[in-house]
Amino acid sequence: MSSKPLYVMLCSGEHEKIQLAAMVASVAAVSDRPVEVFVTMNAILAFERGKSPAERYQGGHFHEMFKTQNVPDAIELFGQGKMLGEMKMWVCSMVLDLKHWDHEKHLTEDLFDGPMGLAKFLADSENGELISI
């Protein structure tokens, strides 16, 4: 029996929320659970190409602790989840339009499977469990 797919809507730019989304998505993916992540609103800023880990994230209560205690970087965790499990990542087409960005040019290399609209993501998520972070 296969697991229900997990759909993660990531909309916050706070470091700890991006970190949580990366941990949940990557652990589920490497545990043989299909995962789809939809990145929208402020969260997209953490995936901007060329930013160092120090520049990627907005605050949050645990922000400084993550940096000083060598917690694995969230972007790297998403990459590991994609590499080791069944994970797809989508970027919100509306936010790309608002920012005048092309996902292949402006966002982290090889992380996103492409742009997607919210309506399509929500329709797809009816087949699984949806969490919003």
Side-chain angles (χ1 to χ4, degrees):
M1 183 170 113
S2 63
S3 298
K4 264 186 161 181
L6 177 64
Y7 293 84
V8 179
M9 184 181 307
L10 176 58
C11 47
S12 175
E14 279 188 29
H15 191 172
E16 58 202 34
K17 292 180 181 179
I18 295 171
Q19 191 74 30
L20 176 63
M23 293 183 326
V24 167
S26 62
V27 167
V30 301
S31 300
D32 294 327
R33 185 169 186 186
V35 177
E36 297 206 21
V37 179
F38 182 75
V39 179
T40 188
M41 302 303 167
N42 283 347
I44 197 172
L45 302 176
F47 296 87
E48 188 174 356
R49 186 178 293 218
K51 281 189 173 179
S52 70
E55 299 171 305
R56 280 190 186 128
Y57 307 108
Q58 299 170 19
H61 180 77
F62 291 96
H63 175 68
E64 288 302 318
M65 288 181 263
F66 288 157
K67 292 187 334 185
T68 60
Q69 299 194 20
N70 298 321
V71 172
D73 181 62
I75 305 303
E76 291 175 13
L77 287 175
F78 281 121
Q80 290 171 6
K82 284 186 63 91
M83 184 173 54
L84 301 172
E86 187 181 338
M87 181 193 300
K88 292 184 179 178
M89 291 188 66
W90 307 103
V91 62
C92 179
S93 57
M94 181 195 75
V95 174
L96 287 176
D97 289 346
L98 289 171
K99 299 279 292 170
H100 304 286
W101 280 3
D102 176 307
H103 80 281
E104 292 176 340
K105 181 177 175 185
H106 291 96
L107 300 177
T108 307
E109 293 181 56
D110 302 325
L111 202 55
F112 289 96
D113 293 279
M116 182 181 284
L118 176 62
K120 167 87 168 99
F121 183 77
L122 290 175
D124 290 350
S125 72
E126 289 179 7
N127 300 321
E129 295 178 60
L130 173 63
I131 61 171
S132 180
I133 301 174

